[in-house]
Amino acid sequence: MSFDRSLKIAPSILAADFADFGREVRAVEDQGADWIHVDVMDGHFVPNLTFGPPMVSALRKHVTTVMDVHLMIAPVDPYIEAFAKAGADVITAHAEAGPHLHRTLQAIRAAGCKAGVALNPATPSSAVAPVLDMVDLVCVMTVNPGFGGQGFIHSMVDKVAELRAMIGDRPVHIEIDGGITPETAPAVVAAGADVLVAGSSVFKGGSVEDPAPYGANMQAIRHSVG
């Protein structure tokens, strides 16, 4: 997984057909997805419950691009090894999920994965300043985490710009998670984002039997940012 700042679209399987994840992953990849984003929620750190390492391991067999595993769980450290063994390429933990972010990022890298840190809307960009040399990705939540289909919080664009300035020439991706559409994507990309997580805006109107809308939806996002 080499680093570059070209725009990447990472469909969130939270918006896919839960009964057909394998074919859904293959369908969005065939239609042009760059990464596959996997939302892990524990019903404690966020008010929703999704799935654990066994599901990630099952998905791994179908992902040929980058499997981007976003852990919306607390505590997070006890589960890092299991998600790494399940096949995650990137593991992102929340800055708010525990008191020892530095240790968490060390553990992710020691497990052989790229390390990401996510920031909830109320968490300032300054929260990641001490660990920027330890991360491969900073994920800016542009909705409150827990559910798909929420509205984009526009004030987060300023946070993206702040992070872009803080990161400088470090090889660190800025990922946006929440409310990405052709209408919201241009502002965050202009501010410095290069990975866009999109759920309902990618999967709407399509299916594994008719995946062309997935490609059209991703192309609409790409075209919106020029």
Side-chain angles (χ1 to χ4, degrees):
M1 181 181 163
S2 58
F3 179 83
D4 69 82
R5 293 197 192 283
S6 64
L7 180 66
K8 297 158 200 66
I9 295 181
S12 167
I13 62 165
L14 196 63
D17 179 355
F18 276 36
D20 211 355
F21 272 152
R23 290 203 299 162
E24 288 277 48
V25 165
R26 295 196 298 274
V28 289
E29 285 192 340
D30 288 346
Q31 291 294 322
D34 300 290
W35 293 10
I36 299 296
H37 189 81
V38 182
D39 293 296
V40 176
M41 305 182 191
D42 64 359
H44 166 70
F45 181 67
V46 291
N48 198 2
L49 188 64
T50 56
F51 31 73
M55 177 61 81
V56 173
S57 180
L59 284 169
R60 178 73 265 182
K61 301 176 179 66
H62 303 277
V63 176
T64 63
T65 55
V66 172
M67 187 157 69
D68 174 31
V69 177
H70 180 187
L71 300 183
M72 287 169 270
I73 65 177
V76 65
D77 291 8
Y79 300 97
I80 288 169
E81 185 176 356
F83 282 103
K85 288 181 176 178
D89 294 303
V90 182
I91 293 179
T92 297
H94 272 257
E96 309 86 2
H100 305 295
L101 180 58
H102 189 281
R103 178 183 294 159
T104 298
L105 296 170
Q106 281 183 316
I108 293 171
R109 285 197 157 174
C113 298
K114 298 290 187 182
V117 57
L119 298 174
N120 284 336
T123 303
S125 57
S126 57
V128 299
V131 296
L132 280 179
D133 290 320
M134 300 181 65
V135 300
D136 301 285
L137 177 149
V138 178
C139 175
V140 177
M141 297 302 301
T142 44
V143 299
N144 286 295
F147 296 96
Q150 297 184 73
F152 181 87
I153 301 173
H154 286 273
S155 59
M156 295 300 103
V157 175
D158 290 341
K159 185 188 291 187
V160 176
E162 291 167 5
L163 285 164
R164 182 80 280 281
M166 290 165 59
I167 288 167
D169 60 2
R170 294 177 178 90
V172 176
H173 296 290
I174 298 178
E175 179 177 76
I176 306 300
D177 189 353
I180 286 295
T181 66
E183 291 70 43
T184 60
V188 291
V189 171
D194 62 288
V195 182
L196 303 180
V197 176
S200 50
S201 65
V202 167
F203 285 97
K204 68 180 181 183
S207 67
V208 291
E209 285 77 22
D210 179 25
Y214 298 165
N217 293 338
M218 287 186 277
Q219 278 300 106
I221 293 171
R222 292 187 199 279
H223 289 158
S224 75
V225 301

